[in-house]
Amino acid sequence: MLDGKKVIFSGMQATGNLTLGNYLGALKNWAQLTDEYECYYCVVDEHSITIRQDPAVLRKRARALLILYIAAGIDPEKSVLYFQSHVSAHAELAWILNCYTYMGEMSRMTQFKDKSAKHEDNINVGLFAYPVLMAADILLYQADLVPVGIDQKQHLEICRDIAERFNNIYGDVFTIPDGYYGSTGAKVMSLQNPEKKMSKSDENPNASIYLMDDTDTIMRKFKRAVTDSLGVIGYGPEQPGISNLIDIYCACTGKKVEEALKEFDGRGYGELKMAVGEAVCGQLAPLQAEVARLTKEKDYIDRIIKNNAERAAYTAGKTLRKVQHKIGFPDRIR
Ligand code: TYM
């Protein structure tokens, strides 16, 4: 904790095309928390290789993601934005925590079950131990809060379990982190199947709004969004498609669900879709322009990559050395 501020840690994978779900569920909240907290936002490239990646594409996407963090309004002088692979403490702590995590706990993780069903030919140990690396990410920075979408809740709970187990043996080593979920946007659903979350790995491109989609594409996807045959704009489990559109609208405009329902009372689904599309374009167009501008600032971005990795390594190193000492590794000779 610096300057008495509480600490935030979060991360995103540089795989696939990022979606509106990643933005509304995570990135938008990250940017709003930077004044109040000491924030570490990581591009988790080590997590990405649990699924086979093309090296050139991964490298490019990781850099583009770091640029996106800045474009989303996160000031890299204040917050620490960096690549996970540039701070070796992540992998080192993950190894240690592997030895305090049970096979049974990991095999219950729904993301492991989903991903191993999808990639049957590559069910590797890294995919299995993925949540332990995620726990190491968070615990290295003694994070108080972790802003994520609802899909990461199970991983956060196992992180807390591992930290509590470790603290019970060795004393108060780790801060126990809490999840931070936005009131709207914490689970953006697919536009084609509103029972399923919007995902960058969805095979149907109409199911997801990608952050780099142009205005026409965004409007077209919303026009095609699956709704229902009730014909009344309501909110609840019997209207998952309409509820998802309302949630997206609220997450983009900052309005409350009740306000939005009042606004659309008596209006048709077509009008709602247009309004949501416009609200999304209003968020993404400036973001895209900022990404385009920053991408050309090569020296500036390089400097941030270097400086921020050093800042992250400094904080992470302190926790790692404490852990190593507690478990009985010989102290370094200075
Ligand atoms: P990832 O890369 O899959 O997603 C990044 C963030 O986007 C959120 N998200 C969503 N939110 C709302 N609706 C959706 N449809 C949606 N899809 C994705 C995710 O919840 C996440 O917050 N394991 C993590 C990355 C990670 C991490 C960490 C996160 C690694 N270490 C430490 C926090 C702390 C992941 O794969 O997120």
Side-chain angles (χ1 to χ4, degrees):
M1 202 190 291
L2 267 183
D3 309 330
K5 282 187 178 173
K6 288 197 165 184
V7 178
I8 279 193
F9 182 93
S10 201
M12 216 176 266
Q13 294 203 58
T15 32
N17 283 324
L18 292 196
T19 72
L20 186 64
N22 296 122
Y23 182 67
L24 296 180
L27 199 51
K28 192 171 180 209
N29 295 328
W30 294 6
Q32 286 165 354
L33 295 163
T34 52
D35 284 336
E36 215 182 313
Y37 295 89
E38 178 189 336
C39 298
Y40 295 84
Y41 294 132
C42 182
V43 172
V44 294
D45 47 4
E46 291 176 334
H47 279 93
S48 296
I49 62 162
T50 52
I51 310 280
R52 204 67 76 226
Q53 303 294 332
D54 174 329
V57 174
L58 176 61
R59 203 173 349 264
K60 208 166 140 201
R61 283 202 167 136
R63 187 175 170 101
L65 183 54
L66 193 116
I67 290 174
L68 183 72
Y69 289 1
I70 306 170
I74 303 168
D75 179 349
E77 307 288 337
K78 265 199 263 162
S79 304
V80 184
L81 312 180
Y82 69 100
F83 299 120
Q84 188 181 29
S85 60
H86 287 190
V87 180
S88 57
H90 288 251
E92 290 180 75
L93 182 62
W95 170 255
I96 293 171
L97 297 181
N98 274 328
C99 304
Y100 296 82
T101 307
Y102 300 113
M103 302 285 284
E105 291 176 310
M106 290 296 98
S107 51
R108 284 196 292 277
M109 296 288 112
T110 37
Q111 186 171 301
F112 171 68
K113 289 188 209 162
D114 291 350
K115 287 202 177 166
S116 45
K118 241 189 218 162
H119 302 275
E120 263 182 337
D121 53 336
N122 184 20
I123 307 177
N124 58 70
V125 176
L127 189 64
F128 186 70
Y130 178 113
V132 183
L133 178 58
M134 182 162 158
D137 299 341
I138 297 167
L139 299 177
L140 271 177
Y141 298 89
Q142 305 289 0
D144 297 281
L145 268 192
V146 183
V148 280
I150 297 280
D151 62 331
Q152 295 299 316
K153 198 167 184 184
Q154 197 184 31
H155 287 162
L156 199 67
E157 275 159 15
I158 201 74
C159 167
R160 289 168 57 94
D161 290 348
I162 296 169
E164 276 166 5
R165 183 173 304 147
F166 198 91
N167 284 356
N168 282 338
I169 307 173
Y170 300 105
D172 276 344
V173 178
F174 295 126
T175 302
I176 309 297
D178 283 313
Y180 175 100
Y181 310 97
S183 53
T184 47
K187 191 163 189 190
V188 178
M189 308 308 278
S190 152
L191 297 184
Q192 290 299 310
N193 176 1
E195 308 282 352
K196 233 174 62 177
K197 78 162 182 175
M198 186 180 282
S199 162
K200 49 194 165 193
S201 56
D202 202 309
E203 273 156 23
N204 180 352
N206 288 322
S208 305
I209 301 292
Y210 299 117
L211 295 188
M212 294 301 142
D213 277 348
D214 60 31
T215 302
D216 288 349
T217 309
I218 293 173
M219 295 307 285
R220 180 170 42 76
K221 288 183 180 177
F222 276 110
K223 268 189 208 147
R224 290 190 187 162
V226 168
T227 53
D228 54 56
S229 54
L230 294 179
V232 182
I233 296 179
Y235 190 86
E238 64 292 347
Q239 292 193 279
I242 296 294
S243 303
N244 187 37
L245 293 178
I246 296 275
D247 272 337
I248 295 173
Y249 183 72
C250 290
C252 290
T253 58
K255 291 183 183 167
K256 296 243 161 36
V257 171
E258 304 78 59
E259 265 177 89
L261 287 175
K262 211 180 267 171
E263 188 179 335
F264 290 105
D265 187 32
R267 294 165 73 185
Y269 287 178
E271 274 183 87
L272 172 66
K273 288 177 172 183
M274 290 297 286
V276 181
E278 280 163 14
V280 169
C281 292
Q283 297 270 291
L284 298 190
L287 185 71
Q288 293 170 357
E290 193 56 5
V291 166
R293 187 187 70 78
L294 286 166
T295 304
K296 292 186 210 132
E297 304 276 336
K298 187 176 176 308
D299 293 346
Y300 169 67
I301 298 295
D302 283 350
R303 210 167 49 245
I304 284 166
I305 290 173
K306 182 169 182 296
N307 293 347
N308 279 325
E310 285 165 7
R311 289 164 73 199
Y314 176 77
T315 311
K318 280 202 291 192
T319 304
L320 180 66
R321 280 191 295 281
K322 187 170 176 189
V323 168
Q324 288 173 329
H325 177 77
K326 288 277 183 188
I327 58 179
F329 290 175
D331 291 328
R332 280 155 216 246
I333 311 292
R334 285 170 205 282

